[in-house]
């Protein structure tokens, strides 16, 4: 096992964002595989080791596996743990940060989310707690740095924000195909493609000294409201007039009730209701404009204009199963 301290250790390299970071490090930025190492919770024959990058076993929830996973790395890309369970996620992140520092890592790059620093959105709370822990941990150690990347809202996750809308099952009720949200339908979201975020994150890793001890936002190039997304979907699918997608704002209680029934076919399901009440908190954050921030940094990193939401939707809607995939991936 190499003990060179120039290695970048990647976590989450088989996930949607992490796989694109790995791709761009290798194929866009021509980083040699020998300069990278992958820490994987479940290494398997189908892991990214085919790329020539060494893959090691590292499980955030089993801290004893992390010293060997991070050994020899100077930089850790900590991709947030794939769960919205707050305590579990924070514990996983703290374990990874502590193990990285003990292993000699001198720069931790953490992928957070693009909500505001004082956001009340439930999905952001574990990120905010992790951000603060990472800052405190690095502040007390000379030569140890952090970079927090607030990754923009994926274009690919639109269905989750659009009331779990499935275009493959959407049938007009005679007055349009209905999307139900509690509020925030007309405030913008700076949607951004996952591949572009992957490339931007890869470039920050390579240029990490420029971003030391900073929190940076990677957003899309324009903000499009939920109603705007619905209108764009109607145009792409050829749904006009009474066939078009329309967005209704129901308020919290009616929306939660409607989502419980839609997801379960029942008036009541405690687990689903708990999830929906937490997910509801996303919409007041949208209404406040937390996701309506367009930052030029990502375009600057990539040196080009970013793909628009319309362009992304055209690709995504070629397979209506893409909407179901995004719901299944993010609604955990």
């Amino acid at each position: 096992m190499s003990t060179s301290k120039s290695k970048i250790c990647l976590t989450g390299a088989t996930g949607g964002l992490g796989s694109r970071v790995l791709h761009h490090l290798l194929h866009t930025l021509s980083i040699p595989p020998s300069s990278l190492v992958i820490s994987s919770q479940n290494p398997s024959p189908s892991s990214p080791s085919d790329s020539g990058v060494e893959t090691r076993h590292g499980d955030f929830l089993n801290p004893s596996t992390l010293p060997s996973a991070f050994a020899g790395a100077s930089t850790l890309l900590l991709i947030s743990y794939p769960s919205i369970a707050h305590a579990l996620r924070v514990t996983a992140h703290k374990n990874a940060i502590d193990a990285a520092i003990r292993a000699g890592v001198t720069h931790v790059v953490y992928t957070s989310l693009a909500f505001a620093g004082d956001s009340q959105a439930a999905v952001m709370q574990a990120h905010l707690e992790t951000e603060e822990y990472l800052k405190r941990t690095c502040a007390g150690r000379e030569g140890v740095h952090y970079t927090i990347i607030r990754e923009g809202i994926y274009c690919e996750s639109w269905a989750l924000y659009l009331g779990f809308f499935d275009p493959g099952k959407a049938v007009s009720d005679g007055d349009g195909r209905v999307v139900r949200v509690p509020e925030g339908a007309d405030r913008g979201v700076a949607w951004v493609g996952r591949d572009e975020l992957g490339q931007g994150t890869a470039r920050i890793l390579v240029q990490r000294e420029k971003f030391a001890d900073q929190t940076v936002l990677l957003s899309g190039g324009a903000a499009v409201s939920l109603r705007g997304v619905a209108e764009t979907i109607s145009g792409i699918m050829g749904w006009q007039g009474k066939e078009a997608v329309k967005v209704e704002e129901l308020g919290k209680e009616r929306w939660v009730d409607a989502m419980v029934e839609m997801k379960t076919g029942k008036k009541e399901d405690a687990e689903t209701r708990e999830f929906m009440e937490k997910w509801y908190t996303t919409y007041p954050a949208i209404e406040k404009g937390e996701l309506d921030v367009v930052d030029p940094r990502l375009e600057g990193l990539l040196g080009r204009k970013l793909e628009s939401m319309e362009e992304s939707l055209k690709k995504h809607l070629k397979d209506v199963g893409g909407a179901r995939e995004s719901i299944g991936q993010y609604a955990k």
Side-chain angles (χ1 to χ4, degrees):
M1 182 182 296
S2 172
T3 58
S4 167
K5 298 302 291 183
S6 62
K7 287 182 180 288
I8 299 172
C9 181
L10 308 175
T11 69
T14 59
L17 176 62
S19 62
R20 302 319 299 161
V21 175
L22 176 62
H23 170 85
H24 286 293
L25 285 170
L26 292 171
H27 302 295
T28 303
L29 302 176
S30 300
I31 302 301
S34 59
S35 295
L36 305 174
V37 64
I38 292 166
S39 172
S40 175
Q41 181 178 352
N42 296 301
S44 69
S46 61
S47 72
S49 58
D50 293 342
S51 64
V53 178
E54 179 186 0
T55 300
R56 304 170 182 170
H57 178 221
D59 183 346
F60 293 172
L61 297 179
N62 185 359
S64 65
T65 66
L66 298 177
S68 59
F70 298 161
S74 62
T75 302
L76 174 69
L77 174 64
L78 176 55
I79 290 186
S80 55
Y81 192 76
S83 170
I84 61 171
H86 179 103
L88 181 71
R89 204 173 205 186
V90 172
T91 296
H93 296 162
K94 287 182 175 180
N95 287 345
I97 292 166
D98 291 344
I101 300 303
R102 286 195 296 267
V105 167
T106 57
H107 200 135
V108 178
V109 178
Y110 173 65
T111 62
S112 184
L113 197 55
F115 289 85
D118 61 351
S119 182
Q120 298 302 305
V123 72
M124 189 63 181
Q125 300 313 300
H127 287 297
L128 292 175
E129 192 169 337
T130 301
E131 289 182 14
E132 289 307 309
Y133 186 79
L134 179 58
K135 289 177 183 178
R136 290 197 309 271
T137 301
C138 293
R141 292 169 172 83
E142 185 176 356
V144 178
H145 303 283
Y146 71 86
T147 302
I148 294 165
I149 306 176
R150 289 195 176 162
E151 308 274 5
I153 304 302
Y154 298 164
C155 292
E156 296 86 351
S157 69
W158 62 268
L160 186 58
Y161 293 83
L162 211 63
F164 304 90
F165 180 68
D166 185 343
K169 296 180 178 179
V171 177
S172 174
D173 63 0
D175 192 26
R177 293 167 167 84
V178 180
V179 166
R180 296 178 175 89
V181 299
E183 58 189 276
D186 296 303
R187 288 304 300 260
V189 176
W191 310 93
V192 59
R194 193 164 48 195
D195 182 70
E196 291 172 326
L197 286 175
Q199 185 178 165
T201 298
R203 291 183 180 277
I204 287 175
L205 279 170
V206 172
Q207 305 171 40
R208 54 196 173 276
E209 293 84 1
K210 295 182 182 179
F211 301 96
D213 304 322
Q214 295 180 40
T215 298
V216 299
L217 172 64
L218 299 184
S219 78
V224 180
S225 69
L226 300 180
R227 200 180 305 278
V229 172
E231 291 171 355
T232 302
I233 290 170
S234 293
I236 293 169
M237 301 297 287
W239 296 334
Q240 302 299 326
K242 291 187 176 181
E243 296 297 312
V245 182
K246 65 178 183 179
V247 180
E248 292 183 351
E249 291 186 338
L250 300 182
K252 178 182 177 180
E253 299 304 327
R254 289 178 61 209
W255 181 80
V256 170
D257 288 345
M259 292 300 103
V260 169
E261 186 168 2
M262 182 188 78
K263 297 290 283 184
T264 68
K266 300 182 292 185
K267 293 288 186 180
E268 189 53 62
D269 181 87
E271 183 178 353
T272 304
R273 180 170 295 277
E274 180 182 10
F275 172 79
M276 291 301 172
E277 287 181 345
K278 288 180 179 177
W279 186 243
Y280 158 76
T281 62
T282 302
Y283 293 91
I286 293 174
E287 182 66 37
K288 285 173 58 182
E290 291 185 22
L291 303 180
D292 196 9
V293 180
V294 175
D295 190 300
R297 189 185 300 273
L298 183 55
E299 285 193 346
L301 284 166
L302 273 55
R304 59 172 172 81
K305 284 184 66 65
L306 302 178
E307 183 177 75
S308 70
M309 186 56 173
E310 181 176 7
E311 290 168 330
S312 177
L313 284 168
K314 283 179 179 178
K315 292 191 300 185
H316 200 57
L317 289 170
K318 286 181 179 178
D319 173 15
V320 295
R324 296 167 200 159
E325 179 185 351
S326 71
I327 292 171
Q329 180 170 359
Y330 302 111
K332 297 179 181 178

